[in-house]
Amino acid sequence: MDFDFRLLIVLLPILAAAGWAVFNIGVVALQQLQKFLNKEA
């Protein structure tokens, strides 16, 4: 079983971009949630 490293080279930037997007969306979502909770209190 020989692993094809070209596949990894193609997937790495895609996974990095996806992870970065999820991280940014998560941060904004948490900020909005905190704002909402503070407004309710």
Side-chain angles (χ1 to χ4, degrees), residues 20-33:
W20 181 245
V22 168
F23 173 76
N24 282 329
I25 291 166
V27 168
V28 172
L30 283 172
Q31 287 173 348
Q32 288 185 337
L33 186 66

Side-chain angles (χ1 to χ4, degrees), residues 2-14:
D2 197 21
F3 187 74
D4 192 358
F5 283 101
R6 289 173 297 179
L7 187 65
L8 197 64
I9 290 166
V10 169
L11 288 178
L12 258 174
I14 296 168

